Amino acid sequence: MANEVGEYKGVRAFNTVFPRKVRALEVTADGAWTLQVLPITKARYWAIKAKGTGPDVIRLTAPLRAARRITLRHQGESNFIVWALDNRGRVTKLLANRVGDYRGRVLLPAGTRYATVEADGVWSIAR
């Protein structure tokens, strides 16, 4: 879920690919750490625009009834990966998989309720 040198802070989703199930987590660290496991329904709300730095999970108030175009932006040096997830938190579509700075428009499919973001820098998603 995370493999970092130095400080790390981020939000990650797991059990998003059926039928694989994560049933335990192992942490290896040489300093203090905390881990909190919450249901995906506790992801932060995404209305029109979501912004962040680093990995995150965001949610719409309800699944999209129709597909919509969205704009994705990333300012960073490493991977920028965005997945669309359905109401059950299952992966439905890869929206972006780029390295470095990125700006693009993609189609967010009908039925999308959540999105996961993997980023090493500042990012935004706008509907």
Side-chain angles (χ1 to χ4, degrees), residues 44-75:
R44 72 183 175 101
Y45 177 62
W46 163 30
I48 302 300
K49 187 171 185 177
K51 297 186 220 179
T53 302
D56 208 346
V57 180
I58 54 179
R59 72 177 166 85
L60 297 165
T61 55
L64 282 182
R65 292 181 188 216
R68 291 204 174 158
R69 289 230 174 259
I70 61 171
T71 300
L72 303 173
R73 293 179 186 197
H74 175 247
Q75 293 177 321

Coordinates of all heavy atoms in Angstrom, one line a residue, residues 44-75:
R44 N -13.1 11.7 2.0 CA -13.5 13.1 2.0 C -14.4 13.4 0.8 O -14.3 12.8 -0.3 CB -12.4 14.0 2.1 CG -11.5 14.1 0.9 CD -10.3 15.1 1.3 NE -9.3 15.1 0.2 CZ -9.3 16.1 -0.7 NH1 -10.1 17.2 -0.6 NH2 -8.4 16.1 -1.6
Y45 N -15.3 14.3 0.9 CA -16.3 14.7 -0.1 C -15.7 15.5 -1.2 O -14.9 16.3 -1.0 CB -17.4 15.5 0.6 CG -18.5 16.0 -0.3 CD1 -19.3 15.1 -1.0 CD2 -18.7 17.3 -0.5 CE1 -20.3 15.6 -1.8 CE2 -19.7 17.8 -1.3 CZ -20.5 16.9 -2.0 OH -21.4 17.4 -2.8
W46 N -16.2 15.1 -2.4 CA -15.7 15.8 -3.6 C -17.0 16.3 -4.3 O -17.8 15.6 -4.8 CB -15.0 14.8 -4.5 CG -14.8 15.1 -6.0 CD1 -14.7 16.4 -6.5 CD2 -14.7 14.2 -7.1 NE1 -14.5 16.3 -7.9 CE2 -14.6 14.9 -8.2 CE3 -14.8 12.8 -7.2 CZ2 -14.4 14.4 -9.5 CZ3 -14.7 12.2 -8.4 CH2 -14.5 13.0 -9.5
A47 N -17.1 17.7 -4.3 CA -18.3 18.3 -5.0 C -17.9 18.6 -6.4 O -18.1 17.8 -7.3 CB -18.6 19.6 -4.2
I48 N -17.4 19.8 -6.7 CA -17.1 20.2 -8.0 C -15.6 20.0 -8.3 O -15.2 19.6 -9.3 CB -17.5 21.7 -8.3 CG1 -19.0 21.8 -8.1 CG2 -17.1 22.1 -9.7 CD1 -19.9 21.0 -9.0
K49 N -14.8 20.4 -7.3 CA -13.3 20.3 -7.5 C -12.7 19.7 -6.2 O -13.1 20.1 -5.1 CB -12.7 21.7 -7.7 CG -11.3 21.7 -8.1 CD -10.8 23.0 -8.6 CE -9.4 22.9 -9.0 NZ -8.9 24.2 -9.6
A50 N -11.8 18.8 -6.4 CA -11.0 18.3 -5.2 C -9.5 18.6 -5.5 O -9.1 18.5 -6.6 CB -11.2 16.8 -5.1
K51 N -8.8 18.9 -4.4 CA -7.4 19.2 -4.5 C -6.7 18.5 -3.4 O -7.3 18.2 -2.3 CB -7.1 20.7 -4.3 CG -7.7 21.6 -5.3 CD -7.2 23.1 -5.0 CE -8.3 24.1 -5.2 NZ -7.8 25.4 -4.9
G52 N -5.5 18.2 -3.6 CA -4.7 17.5 -2.5 C -3.2 17.5 -2.9 O -2.8 17.9 -3.9
T53 N -2.5 16.9 -2.0 CA -1.1 16.6 -2.1 C -0.9 15.2 -1.7 O -1.2 14.8 -0.5 CB -0.2 17.6 -1.3 OG1 -0.5 18.9 -1.7 CG2 1.3 17.3 -1.5
G54 N -0.4 14.3 -2.5 CA -0.1 13.0 -2.2 C -1.3 12.1 -2.3 O -2.4 12.5 -2.9
P55 N -1.3 10.8 -1.9 CA -2.3 9.9 -2.1 C -3.6 10.3 -1.3 O -3.5 10.8 -0.2 CB -1.8 8.6 -1.5 CG -0.3 8.8 -1.3 CD -0.1 10.2 -1.2
D56 N -4.8 10.0 -1.9 CA -6.0 10.3 -1.3 C -7.2 9.5 -1.9 O -7.0 8.9 -3.0 CB -6.3 11.8 -1.5 CG -7.2 12.3 -0.4 OD1 -7.8 11.6 0.4 OD2 -7.3 13.6 -0.3
V57 N -8.3 9.4 -1.2 CA -9.5 8.8 -1.7 C -10.6 9.9 -1.5 O -10.7 10.5 -0.5 CB -9.9 7.6 -0.9 CG1 -11.2 6.9 -1.4 CG2 -8.7 6.6 -0.9
I58 N -11.4 10.1 -2.6 CA -12.5 11.1 -2.5 C -13.8 10.4 -3.0 O -13.8 9.4 -3.6 CB -12.1 12.3 -3.4 CG1 -11.8 11.9 -4.9 CG2 -11.0 13.1 -2.8 CD1 -11.5 13.0 -5.8
R59 N -14.9 11.0 -2.5 CA -16.2 10.4 -2.8 C -17.2 11.5 -3.3 O -17.2 12.7 -2.8 CB -16.8 9.7 -1.6 CG -17.2 10.6 -0.5 CD -17.9 9.8 0.6 NE -18.0 10.7 1.8 CZ -19.0 11.5 2.0 NH1 -20.0 11.5 1.1 NH2 -19.1 12.2 3.1
L60 N -18.1 11.1 -4.2 CA -19.2 11.9 -4.6 C -20.4 11.6 -3.6 O -20.4 10.5 -3.0 CB -19.6 11.5 -6.0 CG -18.6 11.8 -7.1 CD1 -18.9 11.1 -8.4 CD2 -18.5 13.3 -7.3
T61 N -21.4 12.5 -3.5 CA -22.5 12.2 -2.6 C -23.3 11.0 -3.1 O -23.9 10.3 -2.3 CB -23.4 13.5 -2.5 OG1 -23.8 13.8 -3.8 CG2 -22.7 14.6 -1.8
A62 N -23.4 10.8 -4.4 CA -24.1 9.6 -4.9 C -23.4 9.2 -6.2 O -22.7 10.0 -6.8 CB -25.5 10.0 -5.2
P63 N -23.6 8.0 -6.6 CA -23.0 7.5 -7.9 C -23.4 8.4 -9.1 O -24.6 8.9 -9.1 CB -23.5 6.1 -8.1 CG -23.9 5.7 -6.7 CD -24.3 6.9 -6.0
L64 N -22.5 8.7 -10.0 CA -22.9 9.4 -11.2 C -24.0 8.7 -12.0 O -23.9 7.5 -12.3 CB -21.7 9.6 -12.1 CG -20.7 10.7 -11.7 CD1 -19.6 10.7 -12.8 CD2 -21.3 12.0 -11.6
R65 N -25.0 9.5 -12.4 CA -26.1 8.9 -13.2 C -25.6 8.8 -14.7 O -26.1 7.9 -15.4 CB -27.3 9.7 -13.1 CG -27.9 9.6 -11.7 CD -29.2 10.3 -11.7 NE -29.6 10.4 -10.3 CZ -30.9 10.3 -9.9 NH1 -31.8 10.3 -10.8 NH2 -31.2 10.4 -8.7
A66 N -24.8 9.7 -15.1 CA -24.3 9.7 -16.5 C -22.8 10.0 -16.5 O -22.3 10.7 -15.6 CB -25.1 10.8 -17.3
A67 N -22.1 9.6 -17.5 CA -20.7 9.9 -17.7 C -20.5 11.4 -17.8 O -21.3 12.1 -18.3 CB -20.1 9.2 -18.9
R68 N -19.3 11.9 -17.2 CA -19.0 13.3 -17.3 C -17.5 13.4 -17.6 O -16.7 12.6 -17.1 CB -19.2 13.9 -15.9 CG -20.7 14.1 -15.6 CD -20.8 15.2 -14.6 NE -22.3 15.4 -14.4 CZ -22.8 16.0 -13.3 NH1 -22.0 16.4 -12.4 NH2 -24.0 16.1 -13.2
R69 N -17.2 14.5 -18.2 CA -15.8 14.9 -18.5 C -15.2 15.5 -17.2 O -15.9 16.4 -16.6 CB -15.6 15.8 -19.7 CG -15.9 15.1 -21.0 CD -14.8 15.4 -22.0 NE -15.0 14.6 -23.1 CZ -14.4 13.4 -23.4 NH1 -13.5 13.0 -22.5 NH2 -14.6 12.8 -24.5
I70 N -14.0 15.2 -16.9 CA -13.3 15.8 -15.8 C -11.9 16.2 -16.2 O -11.4 15.7 -17.2 CB -13.2 14.9 -14.5 CG1 -12.5 13.6 -14.8 CG2 -14.6 14.6 -14.0 CD1 -12.2 12.8 -13.6
T71 N -11.4 17.2 -15.5 CA -10.0 17.7 -15.8 C -9.1 17.2 -14.6 O -9.5 17.5 -13.5 CB -10.0 19.2 -15.9 OG1 -10.8 19.6 -17.0 CG2 -8.6 19.7 -16.2
L72 N -8.0 16.6 -15.0 CA -7.1 16.1 -14.0 C -5.8 16.9 -14.1 O -5.4 17.2 -15.3 CB -6.7 14.6 -14.2 CG -7.9 13.6 -14.2 CD1 -7.4 12.3 -14.6 CD2 -8.5 13.6 -12.8
R73 N -5.2 17.3 -13.0 CA -3.9 18.0 -13.0 C -3.0 17.4 -11.9 O -3.5 17.1 -10.9 CB -4.1 19.5 -12.7 CG -4.9 20.2 -13.8 CD -5.1 21.6 -13.6 NE -5.9 22.2 -14.6 CZ -6.0 23.4 -14.9 NH1 -5.4 24.3 -14.1 NH2 -6.8 23.9 -15.8
H74 N -1.7 17.4 -12.3 CA -0.7 16.9 -11.3 C 0.6 17.7 -11.5 O 1.0 17.9 -12.6 CB -0.5 15.4 -11.5 CG 0.6 14.9 -10.7 ND1 1.8 14.4 -11.2 CD2 0.7 14.7 -9.3 CE1 2.6 13.9 -10.2 NE2 1.9 14.1 -9.1
Q75 N 1.2 18.1 -10.4 CA 2.5 18.7 -10.4 C 3.4 17.9 -9.5 O 3.3 18.0 -8.3 CB 2.5 20.2 -9.9 CG 1.7 21.1 -10.9 CD 1.7 22.5 -10.3 OE1 1.5 22.7 -9.1 NE2 1.8 23.5 -11.1

